[in-house]
Amino acid sequence: MVELRQLRYFVAVAEELNFGRAAERLRIAGPSLSQQIKALERDLKVQLFDRDRRSVALTQAGAALLPGARDLIQQADELRRRAQGLAVSEPVRIGYVNWCPTDWAERAAGVAQVRVDTWVMPSHAQAARVADGTLDLAICWVQSGDLEGLGLDARLMGVDRLYALSAGSDESPVNAADVLVLVDSDASSWSSWNRYGEQFAADVGARVMRTDDGGVTGPTFFEHVRELRRPVLNNPKGQDAVLPKDLVRRQVVAPTPLWTWSLVWRRDEGSPAVRAVIDAFTRGIGDLGVREDGTWLPADDPYRHRGEGSD
């Protein structure tokens, strides 16, 4: 069985082409180095060096093995560095807005400790907390301009297909232009939703109505839907809410609005633990439908370039 230690010895001799210098570099005795190289040759059943009293040269087999041996050593060294960094790191602090995966622990198992922040705040606030170092990561709605302005990077984490809510029993699809969009005067709480809703309405020709009672979601939103008697675009915060019996969900088409959830982190993040959690949380995510025809994303959405919607 080939050992990593033997590959290190092989690379050192191949680079020095001198057993004495290689032994000095590896800080082992010359005879021991020679024995280990012979053992490696026996295991591989090939001769790696042509050697005599005056010179050492790589054989054809040795030259072929060298690049792969270097790669394996480099990978092993990187793994060790990552493990050492993770072992001494503090828990990775992560916040969210509304949507988050239900399998936090499973995704992070064997990678790092994750501490989920209980202070649930709007998307723009959570992104700012990552930028100022209060959080390491956050799952929130961001646009490319936000990422640039705050010095953040992002990966796609989730997508909500927004539907319309309507009074009555008609569950047929509704055209985007026939949907009403409610935005709220409280920009400190609803900045992201207001930006999204106003751009959606402008792009598809829908009507915007402003409210000052927090009624873009929850029971007050249900009352607005009843009073308005027309389909109203649902806020992602109420995506999975239990509906009153007199209200129905209706698919929005031509186009279907998509709300993206991003995992964001500081662009200069140097923590191996944070980087490992990013990879663990986003591995295998895919595009989650942002490439589909007939969908809509804001012009500044980080994932719009992956698949333009029908506007």
Side-chain angles (χ1 to χ4, degrees):
M1 179 178 178
V2 175
E3 299 178 6
L4 184 64
R5 174 173 54 104
Q6 292 174 322
L7 291 179
R8 290 186 188 278
Y9 293 169
F10 161 67
V11 170
V13 176
E15 291 176 347
E16 298 291 345
L17 292 179
N18 182 289
F19 274 80
R21 288 196 300 269
E24 184 177 350
R25 168 176 155 183
L26 294 166
R27 299 184 180 180
I28 63 173
S32 178
L33 174 59
S34 182
Q35 290 172 7
Q36 289 295 327
I37 294 297
K38 288 178 180 178
L40 178 61
E41 289 176 324
R42 284 197 303 271
D43 290 338
L44 296 177
K45 297 181 174 57
V46 294
Q47 184 176 340
L48 300 173
F49 297 100
D50 286 324
R51 47 196 180 272
D52 55 33
R53 292 188 176 185
R54 293 185 177 181
S55 65
V56 176
L58 279 166
T59 63
Q60 185 175 358
L65 178 65
L66 184 57
R70 283 175 170 150
D71 287 344
L72 284 172
I73 292 169
Q74 184 177 1
Q75 291 172 26
D77 289 344
E78 176 62 21
L79 182 61
R80 182 179 294 106
R81 285 192 293 270
R82 287 169 64 93
Q84 289 171 344
L86 296 176
V88 300
S89 67
E90 294 294 323
V92 174
R93 303 160 299 170
I94 183 167
Y96 67 100
V97 177
N98 174 58
W99 178 88
C100 63
T102 57
D103 56 348
W104 294 103
E106 290 85 352
R107 294 193 190 203
V111 173
Q113 277 187 294
V114 171
R115 185 173 67 209
V116 180
D117 190 84
T118 57
W119 196 4
V120 177
M121 302 181 69
S123 284
H124 64 281
Q126 295 294 46
R129 294 177 74 202
V130 174
D132 69 21
T134 305
L135 294 172
D136 299 306
L137 300 167
I139 297 175
C140 55
W141 182 85
V142 290
Q143 300 295 271
S144 297
D146 303 325
L147 298 174
E148 189 63 31
L150 293 170
L152 302 176
D153 277 333
R155 289 184 191 171
L156 185 64
M157 190 77 179
V159 171
D160 282 334
R161 291 172 176 265
L162 302 188
Y163 53 83
L165 209 58
S166 183
S169 58
D170 182 4
E171 298 182 16
S172 63
V174 58
N175 286 334
D178 298 325
V179 168
L180 180 68
V181 180
L182 276 181
V183 298
D184 200 283
S185 299
D186 181 6
S188 63
S189 298
W190 298 106
S191 170
S192 298
W193 172 249
N194 288 354
R195 289 163 59 195
Y196 180 97
E198 289 170 352
Q199 185 170 337
F200 175 73
D203 284 355
V204 304
R207 178 187 165 199
V208 173
M209 190 179 93
R210 191 169 299 275
T211 180
D212 58 4
D213 57 7
V216 295
T217 189
T220 308
F221 176 66
F222 298 154
E223 288 300 322
H224 285 310
V225 173
R226 293 186 183 101
E227 293 169 1
L228 292 165
R229 306 298 299 176
R230 61 181 298 177
V232 184
L233 189 66
N234 191 62
N235 184 287
K237 194 168 184 179
Q239 190 76 354
D240 299 317
V242 177
L243 298 186
K245 292 182 180 179
D246 61 329
L247 302 181
V248 295
R249 292 184 176 93
R250 298 178 65 179
Q251 180 186 3
V252 179
V253 296
T256 298
L258 303 183
W259 177 278
T260 57
W261 293 108
S262 293
L263 182 68
V264 302
W265 65 94
R266 288 178 294 280
R267 194 163 291 169
D268 60 355
E269 180 59 66
S271 166
V274 174
R275 292 286 179 177
V277 171
I278 293 166
D279 291 340
F281 278 9
T282 59
R283 186 179 301 116
I285 290 292
D287 63 47
L288 299 179
V290 297
R291 296 177 184 271
E292 290 182 15
D293 292 335
T295 59
W296 179 89
L297 290 171
D300 199 34
D301 194 276
Y303 315 104
R304 184 181 172 101
H305 67 280
R306 299 184 183 181
E308 299 260 345
S310 299
D311 290 352

